[in-house]
Amino acid sequence: MSSLAVPVSDVRRKQILKILFISLLLDLISFTFILPLYPKLLEFYRNLEKPSPGSDTIFNRVFQGLNTYKNSFSRPISDRYDIILLGGALGSLFSLLQAIASPVIGTLSDRYGRRRALLWSMAGNLISVALWVAATDFRTFLASRVVGGLSEGNVQLALAIATDISNEQQRGATMALVGVCFSIAFTFGPALGAALSNVTTVAANPFATAAGFSLVLIAVETIYLYLYLPETLPVVSAIHTSGKTRVEKATPRQRTNSHLLLNFTHFIFILFFSGMEFSLPFMTYDLFSYGSSQSGRLLGFIGLVASILQGSFTRRVHPLRVVQTGVAASAASFFFLGILSTERGLYFAAALLAVTSATVVTGLNSLSSFEAAEGERGNKLGNHRSWGQVGRTLGPAIFCSLYWWAGRDIAYTVGGAGMLGVCGLVFGALKAPPGTEIKGTKIAKG
Protein backbone atom coordinates (compact mmCIF):
# COMPACT_ATOMS: atom_id res chain seq x y z
CA MET A 1 0.00 0.00 0.00
CA SER A 2 1.70 3.15 -1.22
CA SER A 3 1.59 6.51 0.47
CA LEU A 4 1.10 9.81 -1.29
CA ALA A 5 2.90 11.94 1.26
CA VAL A 6 4.24 14.27 -1.45
CA PRO A 7 2.15 16.53 -3.70
CA VAL A 8 0.25 14.50 -6.27
CA SER A 9 1.21 15.01 -9.91
CA ASP A 10 -1.50 15.84 -12.42
CA VAL A 11 -1.10 12.45 -14.07
CA ARG A 12 -1.38 10.58 -10.77
CA ARG A 13 -4.31 12.73 -9.70
CA LYS A 14 -6.21 11.94 -12.88
CA GLN A 15 -5.52 8.22 -12.42
CA ILE A 16 -6.92 8.26 -8.89
CA LEU A 17 -9.91 10.36 -9.95
CA LYS A 18 -10.67 7.80 -12.66
CA ILE A 19 -10.59 4.99 -10.08
CA LEU A 20 -12.74 7.06 -7.75
CA PHE A 21 -15.27 7.89 -10.45
CA ILE A 22 -15.70 4.30 -11.64
CA SER A 23 -15.96 2.83 -8.13
CA LEU A 24 -18.35 5.49 -6.87
CA LEU A 25 -20.55 5.15 -9.95
CA LEU A 26 -20.79 1.37 -9.40
CA ASP A 27 -21.61 1.96 -5.73
CA LEU A 28 -24.28 4.59 -6.29
CA ILE A 29 -25.99 2.74 -9.14
CA SER A 30 -26.18 -0.29 -6.85
CA PHE A 31 -27.49 1.91 -4.03
CA THR A 32 -30.24 3.47 -6.20
CA PHE A 33 -31.54 0.11 -7.45
CA ILE A 34 -33.81 -0.23 -4.45
CA LEU A 35 -35.38 3.24 -4.53
CA PRO A 36 -38.22 2.58 -7.04
CA LEU A 37 -38.73 -0.91 -5.63
CA TYR A 38 -39.78 0.16 -2.14
CA PRO A 39 -43.55 0.26 -2.81
CA LYS A 40 -43.75 -3.21 -4.39
CA LEU A 41 -41.11 -4.63 -2.07
CA LEU A 42 -42.91 -3.50 1.08
CA GLU A 43 -46.27 -4.60 -0.33
CA PHE A 44 -44.73 -8.05 -0.85
CA TYR A 45 -43.74 -8.24 2.83
CA ARG A 46 -47.13 -6.88 3.93
CA ASN A 47 -48.92 -9.60 1.96
CA LEU A 48 -46.44 -12.20 3.17
CA GLU A 49 -46.89 -11.26 6.83
CA LYS A 50 -50.59 -10.39 6.93
CA PRO A 51 -51.93 -9.84 10.45
CA SER A 52 -53.53 -12.93 11.89
CA PRO A 53 -54.61 -14.04 15.37
CA GLY A 54 -51.49 -14.47 17.47
CA SER A 55 -49.12 -13.03 14.84
CA ASP A 56 -46.58 -10.59 16.23
CA THR A 57 -44.00 -10.06 13.50
CA ILE A 58 -41.64 -7.09 13.30
CA PHE A 59 -43.41 -5.88 10.16
CA ASN A 60 -46.84 -5.86 11.85
CA ARG A 61 -45.51 -4.02 14.90
CA VAL A 62 -43.90 -1.35 12.72
CA PHE A 63 -47.02 -1.03 10.58
CA GLN A 64 -49.29 -0.65 13.60
CA GLY A 65 -47.09 2.14 14.94
CA LEU A 66 -47.17 3.98 11.60
CA ASN A 67 -50.96 3.64 11.39
CA THR A 68 -51.30 5.11 14.87
CA TYR A 69 -49.14 8.05 13.77
CA LYS A 70 -51.08 8.46 10.51
CA ASN A 71 -54.45 8.43 12.26
CA SER A 72 -53.37 11.30 14.51
CA PHE A 73 -53.56 13.80 11.62
CA SER A 74 -56.47 16.22 11.37
CA ARG A 75 -56.70 15.35 7.68
CA PRO A 76 -57.34 11.75 6.60
CA ILE A 77 -54.39 10.15 4.84
CA SER A 78 -55.26 7.68 2.09
CA ASP A 79 -54.26 4.07 2.66
CA ARG A 80 -52.32 4.45 -0.60
CA TYR A 81 -49.67 6.26 1.42
CA ASP A 82 -49.18 3.49 3.99
CA ILE A 83 -46.30 2.01 2.02
CA ILE A 84 -44.81 5.44 1.30
CA LEU A 85 -44.81 6.25 5.01
CA LEU A 86 -43.18 2.91 5.81
CA GLY A 87 -40.56 3.52 3.12
CA GLY A 88 -39.90 6.94 4.62
CA ALA A 89 -39.50 5.39 8.07
CA LEU A 90 -36.92 2.96 6.70
CA GLY A 91 -35.15 5.82 4.95
CA SER A 92 -35.03 7.76 8.22
CA LEU A 93 -33.62 4.70 10.00
CA PHE A 94 -30.88 4.37 7.37
CA SER A 95 -30.00 8.07 7.71
CA LEU A 96 -29.90 7.82 11.51
CA LEU A 97 -27.50 4.89 11.33
CA GLN A 98 -25.36 6.84 8.86
CA ALA A 99 -25.31 9.78 11.26
CA ILE A 100 -23.92 7.44 13.95
CA ALA A 101 -21.42 5.64 11.71
CA SER A 102 -20.03 8.49 9.59
CA PRO A 103 -17.81 10.13 12.25
CA VAL A 104 -16.47 6.73 13.29
CA ILE A 105 -15.63 5.73 9.71
CA GLY A 106 -13.99 9.11 9.10
CA THR A 107 -11.85 8.89 12.26
CA LEU A 108 -10.75 5.36 11.37
CA SER A 109 -9.74 6.53 7.89
CA ASP A 110 -7.57 9.26 9.48
CA ARG A 111 -5.90 6.70 11.71
CA TYR A 112 -5.51 3.69 9.42
CA GLY A 113 -5.81 5.20 5.94
CA ARG A 114 -8.54 5.77 3.37
CA ARG A 115 -7.89 2.55 1.48
CA ARG A 116 -8.22 0.25 4.49
CA ALA A 117 -11.33 2.05 5.79
CA LEU A 118 -12.95 1.93 2.36
CA LEU A 119 -12.31 -1.80 1.95
CA TRP A 120 -13.80 -2.51 5.38
CA SER A 121 -16.81 -0.41 4.39
CA MET A 122 -17.14 -2.44 1.21
CA ALA A 123 -17.13 -5.64 3.27
CA GLY A 124 -20.13 -4.32 5.18
CA ASN A 125 -21.85 -3.36 1.93
CA LEU A 126 -21.35 -6.88 0.59
CA ILE A 127 -22.97 -8.36 3.71
CA SER A 128 -25.85 -5.86 3.47
CA VAL A 129 -26.68 -6.65 -0.16
CA ALA A 130 -26.21 -10.39 0.40
CA LEU A 131 -28.86 -10.16 3.15
CA TRP A 132 -31.18 -8.44 0.67
CA VAL A 133 -30.68 -11.29 -1.80
CA ALA A 134 -31.67 -13.74 0.94
CA ALA A 135 -34.50 -11.58 2.34
CA THR A 136 -37.51 -13.88 2.13
CA ASP A 137 -39.01 -12.12 5.18
CA PHE A 138 -39.12 -8.54 6.43
CA ARG A 139 -36.82 -9.24 9.37
CA THR A 140 -33.96 -10.18 7.05
CA PHE A 141 -34.62 -7.20 4.81
CA LEU A 142 -34.58 -4.88 7.83
CA ALA A 143 -31.26 -6.42 8.90
CA SER A 144 -29.83 -5.66 5.46
CA ARG A 145 -30.76 -1.98 5.82
CA VAL A 146 -29.29 -1.79 9.33
CA VAL A 147 -25.98 -3.32 8.22
CA GLY A 148 -25.93 -1.04 5.17
CA GLY A 149 -26.60 2.06 7.26
CA LEU A 150 -23.78 1.27 9.68
CA SER A 151 -21.22 0.32 7.03
CA GLU A 152 -21.87 2.65 4.08
CA GLY A 153 -18.86 4.97 4.00
CA ASN A 154 -18.08 5.17 0.29
CA VAL A 155 -19.33 8.70 -0.31
CA GLN A 156 -17.59 10.36 2.64
CA LEU A 157 -14.36 8.45 1.99
CA ALA A 158 -14.53 9.42 -1.69
CA LEU A 159 -14.76 13.04 -0.54
CA ALA A 160 -11.78 12.56 1.78
CA ILE A 161 -9.75 11.00 -1.05
CA ALA A 162 -10.76 13.81 -3.41
CA THR A 163 -9.53 16.28 -0.78
CA ASP A 164 -6.24 14.41 -0.30
CA ILE A 165 -5.32 14.61 -3.99
CA SER A 166 -6.42 18.17 -4.78
CA ASN A 167 -5.15 21.59 -3.83
CA GLU A 168 -7.52 24.34 -2.76
CA GLN A 169 -7.93 25.75 -6.27
CA GLN A 170 -8.82 22.29 -7.64
CA ARG A 171 -11.09 21.37 -4.75
CA GLY A 172 -14.42 22.53 -6.17
CA ALA A 173 -13.92 20.76 -9.50
CA THR A 174 -12.77 17.57 -7.74
CA MET A 175 -15.73 17.54 -5.36
CA ALA A 176 -18.07 18.15 -8.29
CA LEU A 177 -16.96 14.78 -9.68
CA VAL A 178 -18.69 13.10 -6.73
CA GLY A 179 -21.81 15.11 -7.48
CA VAL A 180 -21.71 14.02 -11.13
CA CYS A 181 -21.66 10.39 -9.98
CA PHE A 182 -24.75 11.03 -7.85
CA SER A 183 -26.60 12.67 -10.72
CA ILE A 184 -25.75 9.93 -13.23
CA ALA A 185 -26.63 7.18 -10.76
CA PHE A 186 -29.97 8.75 -9.82
CA THR A 187 -30.79 9.22 -13.51
CA PHE A 188 -30.20 5.61 -14.57
CA GLY A 189 -29.97 3.45 -11.43
CA PRO A 190 -33.65 3.50 -10.42
CA ALA A 191 -34.79 2.68 -13.97
CA LEU A 192 -32.40 -0.28 -14.14
CA GLY A 193 -33.54 -1.50 -10.72
CA ALA A 194 -37.18 -1.26 -11.78
CA ALA A 195 -36.47 -3.24 -14.96
CA LEU A 196 -34.63 -5.99 -13.06
CA SER A 197 -37.48 -6.27 -10.56
CA ASN A 198 -39.64 -7.64 -13.38
CA VAL A 199 -37.34 -10.66 -13.71
CA THR A 200 -38.16 -13.30 -11.09
CA THR A 201 -35.50 -15.92 -10.45
CA VAL A 202 -36.37 -16.85 -6.84
CA ALA A 203 -40.06 -17.29 -6.04
CA ALA A 204 -39.52 -16.72 -2.31
CA ASN A 205 -37.91 -13.34 -3.05
CA PRO A 206 -39.21 -11.69 -6.26
CA PHE A 207 -36.57 -8.98 -5.93
CA ALA A 208 -33.61 -11.36 -5.76
CA THR A 209 -32.63 -10.58 -9.38
CA ALA A 210 -32.24 -6.86 -8.71
CA ALA A 211 -30.53 -7.60 -5.40
CA GLY A 212 -28.23 -10.14 -7.06
CA PHE A 213 -27.19 -7.68 -9.77
CA SER A 214 -26.57 -5.09 -7.06
CA LEU A 215 -24.39 -7.63 -5.24
CA VAL A 216 -22.38 -8.23 -8.43
CA LEU A 217 -21.76 -4.49 -8.82
CA ILE A 218 -20.59 -4.18 -5.20
CA ALA A 219 -18.32 -7.23 -5.58
CA VAL A 220 -16.79 -5.82 -8.77
CA GLU A 221 -16.28 -2.47 -7.06
CA THR A 222 -14.58 -4.11 -4.07
CA ILE A 223 -12.16 -6.09 -6.25
CA TYR A 224 -11.45 -3.02 -8.38
CA LEU A 225 -10.64 -0.89 -5.33
CA TYR A 226 -8.46 -3.63 -3.82
CA LEU A 227 -6.42 -3.95 -7.01
CA TYR A 228 -6.06 -0.34 -8.08
CA LEU A 229 -6.75 2.21 -5.33
CA PRO A 230 -3.56 3.49 -3.62
CA GLU A 231 -3.44 5.05 -0.19
CA THR A 232 -3.97 8.80 -0.47
CA LEU A 233 -3.79 9.92 3.17
CA PRO A 234 -0.67 12.14 3.26
CA VAL A 235 0.11 11.56 6.95
CA VAL A 236 0.21 7.76 6.74
CA SER A 237 3.79 6.61 7.20
CA ALA A 238 5.27 3.45 5.72
CA ILE A 239 7.07 2.85 9.00
CA HIS A 240 5.29 0.39 11.30
CA THR A 241 5.95 0.05 15.00
CA SER A 242 4.78 -3.09 16.77
CA GLY A 243 2.57 -3.94 13.83
CA LYS A 244 0.75 -0.57 13.95
CA THR A 245 0.83 2.17 11.36
CA ARG A 246 2.37 5.37 12.70
CA VAL A 247 0.19 8.41 12.14
CA GLU A 248 1.47 11.95 12.48
CA LYS A 249 -0.57 14.50 14.39
CA ALA A 250 -2.57 16.97 12.36
CA THR A 251 -1.01 20.42 12.03
CA PRO A 252 -3.12 23.12 13.72
CA ARG A 253 -5.02 25.09 11.09
CA GLN A 254 -6.29 28.65 10.94
CA ARG A 255 -10.00 28.41 10.10
CA THR A 256 -12.09 30.89 8.12
CA ASN A 257 -15.45 29.14 8.69
CA SER A 258 -15.83 27.10 11.85
CA HIS A 259 -16.85 23.47 11.41
CA LEU A 260 -19.76 24.12 13.77
CA LEU A 261 -21.11 26.77 11.39
CA LEU A 262 -20.60 24.60 8.32
CA ASN A 263 -22.14 21.55 9.98
CA PHE A 264 -25.15 23.50 11.26
CA THR A 265 -25.68 25.01 7.80
CA HIS A 266 -25.59 21.50 6.32
CA PHE A 267 -28.03 20.20 8.94
CA ILE A 268 -30.60 22.97 8.61
CA PHE A 269 -30.46 22.89 4.80
CA ILE A 270 -30.96 19.10 4.64
CA LEU A 271 -33.70 19.30 7.29
CA PHE A 272 -35.87 21.45 5.02
CA PHE A 273 -34.74 20.08 1.66
CA SER A 274 -35.17 16.39 2.50
CA GLY A 275 -38.64 17.07 3.89
CA MET A 276 -39.63 18.73 0.64
CA GLU A 277 -38.13 15.86 -1.40
CA PHE A 278 -40.14 13.28 0.53
CA SER A 279 -43.36 15.26 0.15
CA LEU A 280 -43.18 15.42 -3.64
CA PRO A 281 -44.91 12.04 -4.26
CA PHE A 282 -47.80 13.19 -2.05
CA MET A 283 -48.10 16.53 -3.81
CA THR A 284 -47.84 15.25 -7.38
CA TYR A 285 -50.43 12.56 -6.66
CA ASP A 286 -52.83 15.05 -5.10
CA LEU A 287 -52.50 17.65 -7.87
CA PHE A 288 -51.89 15.56 -10.99
CA SER A 289 -52.63 11.92 -9.98
CA TYR A 290 -49.04 10.96 -10.76
CA GLY A 291 -48.09 7.29 -10.69
CA SER A 292 -44.64 5.69 -10.55
CA SER A 293 -43.88 6.23 -14.26
CA GLN A 294 -44.67 9.97 -14.16
CA SER A 295 -42.71 10.36 -10.92
CA GLY A 296 -39.80 8.50 -12.51
CA ARG A 297 -39.76 10.90 -15.46
CA LEU A 298 -39.79 13.87 -13.09
CA LEU A 299 -36.84 12.48 -11.11
CA GLY A 300 -35.03 11.66 -14.33
CA PHE A 301 -35.46 15.26 -15.48
CA ILE A 302 -34.03 16.53 -12.19
CA GLY A 303 -31.08 14.13 -12.44
CA LEU A 304 -30.33 15.08 -16.04
CA VAL A 305 -30.35 18.83 -15.36
CA ALA A 306 -28.25 18.32 -12.21
CA SER A 307 -25.70 16.26 -14.20
CA ILE A 308 -25.30 19.05 -16.74
CA LEU A 309 -24.86 21.66 -14.01
CA GLN A 310 -22.36 19.51 -12.09
CA GLY A 311 -20.21 19.17 -15.18
CA SER A 312 -20.35 22.84 -16.07
CA PHE A 313 -21.27 25.38 -13.40
CA THR A 314 -20.41 23.55 -10.15
CA ARG A 315 -16.92 22.42 -11.15
CA ARG A 316 -15.89 25.83 -12.48
CA VAL A 317 -17.22 28.20 -9.82
CA HIS A 318 -15.97 28.79 -6.27
CA PRO A 319 -17.76 26.53 -3.76
CA LEU A 320 -19.14 29.50 -1.80
CA ARG A 321 -20.82 30.95 -4.89
CA VAL A 322 -22.07 27.44 -5.73
CA VAL A 323 -23.74 27.12 -2.30
CA GLN A 324 -25.21 30.63 -2.54
CA THR A 325 -26.76 29.84 -5.92
CA GLY A 326 -28.21 26.56 -4.68
CA VAL A 327 -29.87 27.83 -1.52
CA ALA A 328 -31.40 30.78 -3.40
CA ALA A 329 -32.85 28.37 -5.99
CA SER A 330 -34.13 26.13 -3.20
CA ALA A 331 -35.94 28.98 -1.44
CA ALA A 332 -37.59 29.99 -4.72
CA SER A 333 -38.66 26.40 -5.41
CA PHE A 334 -40.35 26.08 -2.00
CA PHE A 335 -42.52 29.15 -2.52
CA PHE A 336 -43.35 28.09 -6.09
CA LEU A 337 -44.33 24.56 -5.04
CA GLY A 338 -46.85 26.09 -2.65
CA ILE A 339 -48.77 27.89 -5.42
CA LEU A 340 -48.27 25.93 -8.67
CA SER A 341 -51.27 24.42 -10.43
CA THR A 342 -49.92 23.13 -13.78
CA GLU A 343 -47.43 20.47 -14.85
CA ARG A 344 -45.41 23.15 -16.63
CA GLY A 345 -45.09 24.92 -13.30
CA LEU A 346 -44.10 21.63 -11.66
CA TYR A 347 -41.24 21.14 -14.11
CA PHE A 348 -40.10 24.73 -13.58
CA ALA A 349 -39.92 24.03 -9.84
CA ALA A 350 -38.12 20.75 -10.63
CA ALA A 351 -35.51 22.70 -12.60
CA LEU A 352 -34.90 24.87 -9.53
CA LEU A 353 -34.57 21.72 -7.42
CA ALA A 354 -32.04 20.36 -9.92
CA VAL A 355 -29.97 23.53 -9.41
CA THR A 356 -30.09 22.90 -5.66
CA SER A 357 -29.21 19.21 -6.01
CA ALA A 358 -26.22 20.04 -8.19
CA THR A 359 -24.75 22.69 -5.93
CA VAL A 360 -25.37 22.98 -2.20
CA VAL A 361 -24.06 19.72 -0.71
CA THR A 362 -21.09 19.61 -3.10
CA GLY A 363 -20.18 23.19 -2.25
CA LEU A 364 -20.55 22.70 1.51
CA ASN A 365 -18.36 19.59 1.33
CA SER A 366 -15.69 21.63 -0.43
CA LEU A 367 -15.88 24.44 2.14
CA SER A 368 -15.64 21.90 4.96
CA SER A 369 -12.57 20.29 3.36
CA PHE A 370 -10.83 23.70 3.17
CA GLU A 371 -10.99 23.95 6.97
CA ALA A 372 -9.56 20.47 7.69
CA ALA A 373 -5.87 19.69 8.08
CA GLU A 374 -4.38 16.60 6.45
CA GLY A 375 -4.65 14.33 9.47
CA GLU A 376 -8.25 15.23 10.37
CA ARG A 377 -10.06 15.32 7.02
CA GLY A 378 -11.77 11.97 7.45
CA ASN A 379 -13.09 12.94 10.87
CA LYS A 380 -14.21 16.44 9.87
CA LEU A 381 -15.90 15.32 6.66
CA GLY A 382 -17.48 12.41 8.54
CA ASN A 383 -18.90 14.79 11.14
CA HIS A 384 -20.13 17.08 8.37
CA ARG A 385 -21.95 14.19 6.71
CA SER A 386 -23.33 13.07 10.06
CA TRP A 387 -25.02 16.44 10.67
CA GLY A 388 -26.62 16.20 7.24
CA GLN A 389 -27.86 12.69 7.94
CA VAL A 390 -29.48 13.86 11.19
CA GLY A 391 -31.34 16.45 9.11
CA ARG A 392 -32.35 13.74 6.66
CA THR A 393 -33.62 11.62 9.57
CA LEU A 394 -35.87 14.36 10.93
CA GLY A 395 -36.86 16.31 7.81
CA PRO A 396 -39.38 13.94 6.16
CA ALA A 397 -41.35 13.27 9.36
CA ILE A 398 -41.52 16.94 10.37
CA PHE A 399 -42.35 18.32 6.94
CA CYS A 400 -44.92 15.68 6.02
CA SER A 401 -46.60 16.12 9.40
CA LEU A 402 -46.91 19.83 8.64
CA TYR A 403 -48.15 19.03 5.12
CA TRP A 404 -51.01 16.87 6.38
CA TRP A 405 -51.90 19.02 9.38
CA ALA A 406 -51.78 22.46 7.73
CA GLY A 407 -51.95 21.84 3.97
CA ARG A 408 -49.64 22.27 1.00
CA ASP A 409 -49.56 26.06 0.86
CA ILE A 410 -48.66 26.55 4.52
CA ALA A 411 -46.13 23.68 4.54
CA TYR A 412 -44.19 25.00 1.56
CA THR A 413 -44.42 28.59 2.79
CA VAL A 414 -42.92 27.54 6.13
CA GLY A 415 -40.28 25.55 4.26
CA GLY A 416 -39.48 28.56 2.08
CA ALA A 417 -39.15 30.78 5.15
CA GLY A 418 -36.78 28.24 6.67
CA MET A 419 -34.73 28.16 3.49
CA LEU A 420 -34.53 31.97 3.57
CA GLY A 421 -32.95 31.50 7.00
CA VAL A 422 -30.41 29.18 5.39
CA CYS A 423 -29.77 31.88 2.79
CA GLY A 424 -29.07 34.29 5.64
CA LEU A 425 -26.44 31.91 7.03
CA VAL A 426 -24.83 31.30 3.66
CA PHE A 427 -24.76 34.89 2.44
CA GLY A 428 -24.16 36.53 5.81
CA ALA A 429 -21.90 34.19 7.75
CA LEU A 430 -19.91 31.96 5.38
CA LYS A 431 -16.73 33.36 3.83
CA ALA A 432 -14.30 32.23 1.15
CA PRO A 433 -11.06 30.99 2.75
CA PRO A 434 -8.03 33.00 1.58
CA GLY A 435 -6.17 31.40 -1.30
CA THR A 436 -9.13 29.35 -2.53
CA GLU A 437 -10.44 31.86 -5.07
CA ILE A 438 -10.78 30.61 -8.63
CA LYS A 439 -9.26 32.97 -11.20
CA GLY A 440 -11.91 35.11 -12.86
CA THR A 441 -14.59 34.34 -10.27
CA LYS A 442 -16.06 37.01 -8.01
CA ILE A 443 -17.55 35.94 -4.71
CA ALA A 444 -20.36 37.55 -2.77
CA LYS A 445 -18.87 38.34 0.63
CA GLY A 446 -20.57 37.76 3.97
Side-chain angles (χ1 to χ4, degrees), residues 62-134:
V62 171
F63 214 80
Q64 288 168 7
L66 286 175
N67 274 322
T68 301
Y69 173 72
K70 186 184 74 170
N71 293 332
S72 69
F73 290 100
S74 58
R75 290 180 167 199
I77 302 179
S78 169
D79 289 343
R80 177 184 183 275
Y81 293 121
D82 287 353
I83 294 299
I84 296 177
L85 291 171
L86 180 55
L90 289 177
S92 292
L93 172 64
F94 187 90
S95 296
L96 177 61
L97 295 172
Q98 280 279 277
I100 296 170
S102 291
V104 177
I105 294 172
T107 300
L108 291 175
S109 79
D110 285 337
R111 181 172 180 80
Y112 299 107
R114 316 290 187 222
R115 186 177 188 274
R116 183 179 297 182
L118 185 52
L119 289 174
W120 276 110
S121 175
M122 292 305 304
N125 290 341
L126 284 168
I127 295 171
S128 171
V129 182
L131 284 170
W132 182 26
V133 174

Side-chain angles (χ1 to χ4, degrees), residues 32 174 289 337:
T32 57
T174 306
S289 299
L337 285 168

Side-chain angles (χ1 to χ4, degrees), residues 308-330:
I308 295 170
L309 290 171
Q310 286 278 4
S312 54
F313 175 78
T314 304
R315 67 185 297 269
R316 290 187 172 93
V317 178
H318 191 279
L320 181 56
R321 172 63 66 81
V322 165
V323 176
Q324 291 170 342
T325 302
V327 294
S330 181

